[in-house]
Structure formats: C-alpha cells, structure tokens
Amino acid sequence: MKKLTALALAGCMAVSLAACGGSASTTPASSEAASTESAATSAAESAAESVTEATQGGKVGVCIYKFDDAFMTTYRNALQEILEGKGYEVTIVDGNNDQAKQNEQINTFITQGVDALIINPVMTSAADQIISTVKGADVPTVLINREPTADQMSAYDKLVYVGCDAAQSGTFQGELILDTENKGDINGDGKVSYIMIQGDPENIDAQLRTEYSVKALTDAGVEVEQLDLQRGDWDRNKGQEICQNDLAKYGDQIEVVFCNNDDMAIGALQAIQAAGRTVNKDIYLVGVDALDAAKNEVANGNMTGTVLNDAKGQATQAVASMEELLGGKTFEAGSQSVYVDYVKVTPDNVKDFQ
Ligand code: GAL
C-alpha cells in the first residue's frame, strides 16, 4: 500500500511539474524548459507504469450485499473474472443481506490491508457509516449498485459510485408497454390496470423503477389504475406468490404486470401461465436486468420485454474507477458517480443480447 501511494505521488508530482511548465509545453521558452518538460513527462510515464505493475498485484476486497441474488451473481462473477484477469488478489464476501455482518467484513478487509474495496452496500441507509469507515482507513473505494447521495459521497474524495440511472430503466419499462399495439389497454376500457411487484423498497432502484415506469405512461397521456403494489424483494418466489394472489383476486382486470427486476418477472410468469393467461395476448409482463432466463422468455414471446442492466459493463467500469483511485486520482464532490446506460430489450433486438 505504501509503495502504491509513493508511486502514485511520484506520478502526480511529475504530472503537475509538467503542468507547471504549461507555457513551456506549448511554446518552450528555452531548451532548458523543454528538457525539464520531457524529464517530467518521462518520470510521469515511468511512475505510471510502476503504478500499473504494482496495482495489478494488489489486494482487492469485494463485498456483495447477498450472493443469493440473480443479478448480483452475474455482476459478482464478472467482477471476479475482470479483477483476476488483471492479476489482482481478490476476495469476495457474502453479506447475507445483513448490514451488521457487512460492516464487520469491511473492517476485516481493512485490517488485512487491502489496497482497494468494491462495496455493494446491504442498505443504502448505511452509506454514511461505510464512507466514514473507509475514509478513516484511507482505503480507495468503489461503491456499486446502491447509490448514496452526492452529498454523502462528498465526505471522501477517494470514493466513486458506479451504477445506472434507475429512473431510465423505469422509463424504458413504461415505453415497452407504450410500444404494444394497444399501449397496454388490452380490454379497451380507456385505462391501463396494472400490478407493481417491487424490489426492496429501501433501494433507490426499486423506488425509481416503480415511479418512472408508470410516469412514462401518464406522461404519454395514458390513464392508469394501480390494482396492487407489493414488495417482492427482488426474489423469484415472492414474485410468483404476489402475482398468483393478484391473479386470483383481480383476474382479467390485470393488463400489465410491472416487475422491478427479471427474477420476480420469471416468478410472475409462472403464476401467469398457471392461471391460463397468455403474455402479449391477454396480459403484458416486463422486468429489468436481462437475465439469461428473461431473454429466453422475451425471445419466446412469454415476456413483453426487459431492460438490460449491464453487469459486465458496470463491473468493467467499477474496476476502471478503482484503478484510477489506485493511481492517485481523487474525485470532487458532484463528480463521483459514473453511470452505465440501460438498454431496452424487445423481441426485435433480443438476439443481439443473447
Ligand atoms: C438491481 C437489480 C436487481 C437486484 C438489485 C440488488 O439493480 O435490478 O435484480 O439485483 O439491484 O440491489
């Protein structure tokens, strides 16, 4: 860790030396200025190379909120593959959906002297505590998947958040319904009657997907009626149970099943099929994540669509941000979040994602 910091500092000093000779770099005033510049540049280059060599053998601790989550499993596997491929010593731990347990895991990583942390918090509300812990130990950290506020992040300049704009995924879900032949109004009564199967409501992804999926409809002038909203905690079995109960209670009134993620949508699909309903004919079903199972169902016509939550893209960006931090870069308040785009997945383009 010390070696890393020293090398990173050498790199920064060399770079800022070059920057000080700024006027020299465009119009060298003398050969002395020019040679100072090139000495500084080559010092920066060799320091940068050393940082790269050193960091790539570094120790990285990864905390995942719980292993038993379909999307975070693909994300975790992508992180492991990328980090190991770059020669890092990686340890990934399961928080079992228990914030107290994850806090201990973070402390253990710090005691073990990790060079960097990648953390998927169990609870968004724990962000302040997590940030103060990693700041106290001066460990560069990338938070993923559960976005803290810009204000919370501003407490530590060696902290970056990598994720997606959850509102965008909600909007895309609404647009998938607007793109159907009857804009979701299957029974032609002038309004779209839906049920909403929500993820963990403490999670901003769940909050914004719930809000923006419906907002896309109302913004387009479509009248809506919410028959039910229940938390399914991102879980397939809960998605199945909620949808089964709602189908028993509301029957043909349900025209659209919005699920905050695909795993719950796959569960909902089981309930829909068991009730003898047919997706895209007498009911619509949308999810988010583009899990393999969901992409197959979109291709088979058993899901109206999903939204790609790009696990590989986010994992790649998380590692890139971690390497910037390890290279000594700091981040100003308001520029600590990096977003990867969501993409709509429909029967027309699903092949591109399979
Ligand atoms: C969301 C994802 C869900 C679940 C959740 C965990 O982005 O769509 O499936 O993994 O993160 O926080």
Side-chain angles (χ1 to χ4, degrees), residues 1-13 47 50-52 54-55 113-116 137-140 156 158 325-330:
M1 182 65 195
K2 286 230 171 63
K3 188 178 162 204
L4 280 180
T5 314
L7 288 168
L9 260 178
C12 294
M13 281 168 64
S50 314
V51 168
T52 309
T55 55
V114 291
D115 296 303
D138 195 25
V139 180
Y156 185 36
K158 293 183 195 166
L325 291 165
L326 283 172
K329 186 167 172 184
T330 53

CSV table of all heavy atoms in Angstrom, one decimal, residues 1-13 47 50-52 54-55 113-116 137-140 156 158 325-330:
chain,number,residue,atom,x,y,z
A,1,MET,N,0.9,-1.2,0.0
A,1,MET,CA,0.0,0.0,0.0
A,1,MET,C,0.9,1.2,0.0
A,1,MET,O,0.7,2.2,-0.8
A,1,MET,CB,-0.9,0.0,1.2
A,1,MET,CG,-1.9,1.1,1.3
A,1,MET,SD,-3.0,1.1,-0.1
A,1,MET,CE,-3.7,2.8,0.0
A,2,LYS,N,1.9,1.2,0.9
A,2,LYS,CA,2.8,2.4,1.0
A,2,LYS,C,3.5,2.6,-0.4
A,2,LYS,O,3.6,3.7,-0.9
A,2,LYS,CB,3.9,2.1,2.0
A,2,LYS,CG,3.4,2.2,3.4
A,2,LYS,CD,4.3,3.1,4.3
A,2,LYS,CE,3.7,3.4,5.6
A,2,LYS,NZ,3.5,2.2,6.4
A,3,LYS,N,3.9,1.5,-1.0
A,3,LYS,CA,4.6,1.6,-2.3
A,3,LYS,C,3.7,2.2,-3.3
A,3,LYS,O,4.1,3.1,-4.0
A,3,LYS,CB,5.0,0.1,-2.7
A,3,LYS,CG,5.9,0.1,-3.9
A,3,LYS,CD,6.3,-1.4,-4.2
A,3,LYS,CE,6.8,-1.5,-5.6
A,3,LYS,NZ,6.5,-2.9,-6.1
A,4,LEU,N,2.5,1.7,-3.3
A,4,LEU,CA,1.5,2.3,-4.2
A,4,LEU,C,1.3,3.8,-4.1
A,4,LEU,O,1.4,4.5,-5.0
A,4,LEU,CB,0.1,1.7,-3.9
A,4,LEU,CG,-0.2,0.3,-4.4
A,4,LEU,CD1,-1.6,-0.1,-4.1
A,4,LEU,CD2,0.0,0.3,-6.0
A,5,THR,N,1.2,4.2,-2.8
A,5,THR,CA,1.0,5.6,-2.6
A,5,THR,C,2.2,6.4,-3.0
A,5,THR,O,2.0,7.5,-3.7
A,5,THR,CB,0.7,5.9,-1.1
A,5,THR,OG1,-0.2,4.9,-0.6
A,5,THR,CG2,0.2,7.2,-0.8
A,6,ALA,N,3.4,5.9,-2.7
A,6,ALA,CA,4.6,6.7,-3.1
A,6,ALA,C,4.7,6.8,-4.6
A,6,ALA,O,5.0,7.9,-5.1
A,6,ALA,CB,5.8,5.9,-2.5
A,7,LEU,N,4.4,5.7,-5.3
A,7,LEU,CA,4.5,5.7,-6.7
A,7,LEU,C,3.4,6.6,-7.3
A,7,LEU,O,3.7,7.4,-8.2
A,7,LEU,CB,4.3,4.3,-7.3
A,7,LEU,CG,5.5,3.4,-7.0
A,7,LEU,CD1,5.1,1.9,-7.3
A,7,LEU,CD2,6.7,3.8,-7.9
A,8,ALA,N,2.2,6.6,-6.8
A,8,ALA,CA,1.2,7.4,-7.3
A,8,ALA,C,1.5,8.9,-7.1
A,8,ALA,O,1.4,9.7,-8.0
A,8,ALA,CB,-0.1,7.1,-6.6
A,9,LEU,N,2.1,9.2,-5.9
A,9,LEU,CA,2.5,10.6,-5.6
A,9,LEU,C,3.6,11.0,-6.6
A,9,LEU,O,3.5,12.1,-7.2
A,9,LEU,CB,3.1,10.6,-4.2
A,9,LEU,CG,2.2,11.1,-3.1
A,9,LEU,CD1,2.9,11.1,-1.8
A,9,LEU,CD2,1.8,12.6,-3.5
A,10,ALA,N,4.6,10.1,-6.8
A,10,ALA,CA,5.6,10.5,-7.8
A,10,ALA,C,5.0,10.8,-9.1
A,10,ALA,O,5.4,11.8,-9.8
A,10,ALA,CB,6.6,9.3,-7.9
A,11,GLY,N,4.0,10.0,-9.5
A,11,GLY,CA,3.4,10.2,-10.8
A,11,GLY,C,2.7,11.6,-10.8
A,11,GLY,O,2.8,12.3,-11.8
A,12,CYS,N,2.0,11.9,-9.7
A,12,CYS,CA,1.2,13.1,-9.7
A,12,CYS,C,2.2,14.3,-9.7
A,12,CYS,O,1.9,15.3,-10.4
A,12,CYS,CB,0.4,13.2,-8.4
A,12,CYS,SG,-0.9,12.0,-8.4
A,13,MET,N,3.3,14.2,-8.9
A,13,MET,CA,4.2,15.3,-8.9
A,13,MET,C,4.8,15.5,-10.3
A,13,MET,O,4.9,16.7,-10.8
A,13,MET,CB,5.4,15.0,-7.9
A,13,MET,CG,4.9,15.2,-6.5
A,13,MET,SD,6.1,14.6,-5.3
A,13,MET,CE,7.5,15.5,-5.7
A,47,ALA,N,6.5,6.4,-13.8
A,47,ALA,CA,5.8,6.2,-12.5
A,47,ALA,C,4.4,5.6,-12.8
A,47,ALA,O,4.0,4.7,-12.1
A,47,ALA,CB,5.6,7.6,-11.8
A,50,SER,N,4.9,2.0,-13.3
A,50,SER,CA,5.1,1.2,-12.0
A,50,SER,C,3.8,1.1,-11.2
A,50,SER,O,3.6,0.1,-10.6
A,50,SER,CB,6.1,2.0,-11.1
A,50,SER,OG,7.2,2.4,-11.9
A,51,VAL,N,3.0,2.2,-11.3
A,51,VAL,CA,1.7,2.1,-10.6
A,51,VAL,C,0.9,1.0,-11.1
A,51,VAL,O,0.4,0.1,-10.4
A,51,VAL,CB,0.9,3.4,-10.7
A,51,VAL,CG1,-0.5,3.3,-10.2
A,51,VAL,CG2,1.6,4.5,-9.9
A,52,THR,N,0.9,0.9,-12.5
A,52,THR,CA,0.1,-0.2,-13.1
A,52,THR,C,0.6,-1.5,-12.7
A,52,THR,O,-0.1,-2.4,-12.2
A,52,THR,CB,0.2,0.0,-14.6
A,52,THR,OG1,-0.1,1.3,-15.0
A,52,THR,CG2,-0.8,-1.0,-15.3
A,54,ALA,N,2.4,-2.3,-10.0
A,54,ALA,CA,2.1,-2.6,-8.6
A,54,ALA,C,0.7,-2.8,-8.3
A,54,ALA,O,0.3,-3.8,-7.6
A,54,ALA,CB,2.6,-1.3,-7.8
A,55,THR,N,-0.2,-2.0,-8.9
A,55,THR,CA,-1.6,-2.2,-8.5
A,55,THR,C,-2.1,-3.5,-9.0
A,55,THR,O,-3.0,-4.1,-8.4
A,55,THR,CB,-2.5,-1.1,-9.1
A,55,THR,OG1,-2.3,-1.0,-10.5
A,55,THR,CG2,-2.2,0.3,-8.5
A,113,GLY,N,-5.4,-5.2,5.3
A,113,GLY,CA,-4.5,-4.3,4.4
A,113,GLY,C,-4.9,-4.3,3.0
A,113,GLY,O,-4.0,-4.2,2.1
A,114,VAL,N,-6.1,-4.5,2.6
A,114,VAL,CA,-6.5,-4.4,1.2
A,114,VAL,C,-6.1,-3.1,0.6
A,114,VAL,O,-6.1,-2.1,1.3
A,114,VAL,CB,-8.0,-4.7,0.9
A,114,VAL,CG1,-8.4,-6.1,1.2
A,114,VAL,CG2,-8.9,-3.7,1.6
A,115,ASP,N,-5.8,-3.1,-0.7
A,115,ASP,CA,-5.4,-1.9,-1.4
A,115,ASP,C,-6.6,-1.1,-1.8
A,115,ASP,O,-6.6,0.1,-2.0
A,115,ASP,CB,-4.5,-2.2,-2.6
A,115,ASP,CG,-3.2,-2.8,-2.2
A,115,ASP,OD1,-2.5,-2.2,-1.4
A,115,ASP,OD2,-2.9,-3.9,-2.6
A,116,ALA,N,-7.7,-1.8,-2.1
A,116,ALA,CA,-9.0,-1.1,-2.5
A,116,ALA,C,-10.1,-2.0,-2.2
A,116,ALA,O,-10.0,-3.2,-2.0
A,116,ALA,CB,-8.9,-0.9,-4.0
A,137,ALA,N,-9.8,4.7,7.3
A,137,ALA,CA,-8.7,3.8,7.0
A,137,ALA,C,-8.0,4.2,5.7
A,137,ALA,O,-7.0,3.5,5.4
A,137,ALA,CB,-9.3,2.4,6.8
A,138,ASP,N,-8.4,5.2,5.1
A,138,ASP,CA,-7.8,5.7,3.8
A,138,ASP,C,-7.7,4.6,2.7
A,138,ASP,O,-6.7,4.4,2.1
A,138,ASP,CB,-6.4,6.3,4.1
A,138,ASP,CG,-5.9,7.1,3.0
A,138,ASP,OD1,-6.8,7.6,2.2
A,138,ASP,OD2,-4.7,7.3,2.8
A,139,VAL,N,-8.8,3.9,2.6
A,139,VAL,CA,-8.8,2.9,1.5
A,139,VAL,C,-9.7,3.3,0.3
A,139,VAL,O,-10.9,3.6,0.5
A,139,VAL,CB,-9.4,1.5,2.1
A,139,VAL,CG1,-9.4,0.5,1.0
A,139,VAL,CG2,-8.6,1.0,3.2
A,140,PRO,N,-9.1,3.5,-0.9
A,140,PRO,CA,-9.9,3.8,-2.0
A,140,PRO,C,-11.0,2.9,-2.2
A,140,PRO,O,-10.8,1.6,-2.1
A,140,PRO,CB,-8.9,3.7,-3.2
A,140,PRO,CG,-7.5,3.7,-2.6
A,140,PRO,CD,-7.7,3.2,-1.2
A,156,TYR,N,-15.7,11.9,1.1
A,156,TYR,CA,-14.4,11.2,0.9
A,156,TYR,C,-14.1,11.3,-0.6
A,156,TYR,O,-14.8,10.9,-1.4
A,156,TYR,CB,-14.6,9.8,1.3
A,156,TYR,CG,-13.3,8.9,1.3
A,156,TYR,CD1,-12.1,9.5,1.6
A,156,TYR,CD2,-13.4,7.6,0.9
A,156,TYR,CE1,-10.9,8.7,1.5
A,156,TYR,CE2,-12.3,6.8,0.9
A,156,TYR,CZ,-11.0,7.3,1.2
A,156,TYR,OH,-9.9,6.6,1.1
A,158,LYS,N,-11.7,9.8,-2.2
A,158,LYS,CA,-11.2,8.6,-2.9
A,158,LYS,C,-12.4,7.6,-3.0
A,158,LYS,O,-12.2,6.4,-2.8
A,158,LYS,CB,-10.1,8.0,-2.1
A,158,LYS,CG,-8.8,8.9,-2.1
A,158,LYS,CD,-7.7,8.2,-1.3
A,158,LYS,CE,-6.6,9.3,-1.0
A,158,LYS,NZ,-5.7,8.7,0.0
A,325,LEU,N,-8.5,5.4,-8.9
A,325,LEU,CA,-8.2,5.7,-7.5
A,325,LEU,C,-6.9,5.2,-7.0
A,325,LEU,O,-6.1,5.9,-6.4
A,325,LEU,CB,-9.3,5.1,-6.6
A,325,LEU,CG,-10.7,5.7,-6.7
A,325,LEU,CD1,-11.8,4.8,-6.1
A,325,LEU,CD2,-10.8,7.1,-6.1
A,326,LEU,N,-6.5,4.0,-7.4
A,326,LEU,CA,-5.2,3.4,-7.0
A,326,LEU,C,-4.1,4.2,-7.7
A,326,LEU,O,-3.0,4.3,-7.1
A,326,LEU,CB,-5.1,1.9,-7.5
A,326,LEU,CG,-5.9,0.9,-6.6
A,326,LEU,CD1,-5.9,-0.4,-7.3
A,326,LEU,CD2,-5.3,0.9,-5.2
A,327,GLY,N,-4.3,4.8,-8.8
A,327,GLY,CA,-3.3,5.6,-9.5
A,327,GLY,C,-3.2,7.0,-8.9
A,327,GLY,O,-2.4,7.8,-9.3
A,328,GLY,N,-4.0,7.3,-7.8
A,328,GLY,CA,-3.9,8.5,-7.1
A,328,GLY,C,-4.9,9.6,-7.4
A,328,GLY,O,-4.9,10.7,-6.9
A,329,LYS,N,-5.8,9.2,-8.3
A,329,LYS,CA,-6.8,10.2,-8.7
A,329,LYS,C,-7.8,10.4,-7.6
A,329,LYS,O,-8.2,9.5,-6.9
A,329,LYS,CB,-7.5,9.8,-10.0
A,329,LYS,CG,-8.5,10.8,-10.5
A,329,LYS,CD,-9.0,10.5,-11.9
A,329,LYS,CE,-10.1,11.5,-12.3
A,329,LYS,NZ,-10.6,11.2,-13.6
A,330,THR,N,-8.2,11.7,-7.4
A,330,THR,CA,-9.3,12.0,-6.4
A,330,THR,C,-10.4,12.6,-7.1
A,330,THR,O,-10.3,13.1,-8.2
A,330,THR,CB,-8.8,13.0,-5.3
A,330,THR,OG1,-8.2,14.1,-5.9
A,330,THR,CG2,-7.7,12.3,-4.4
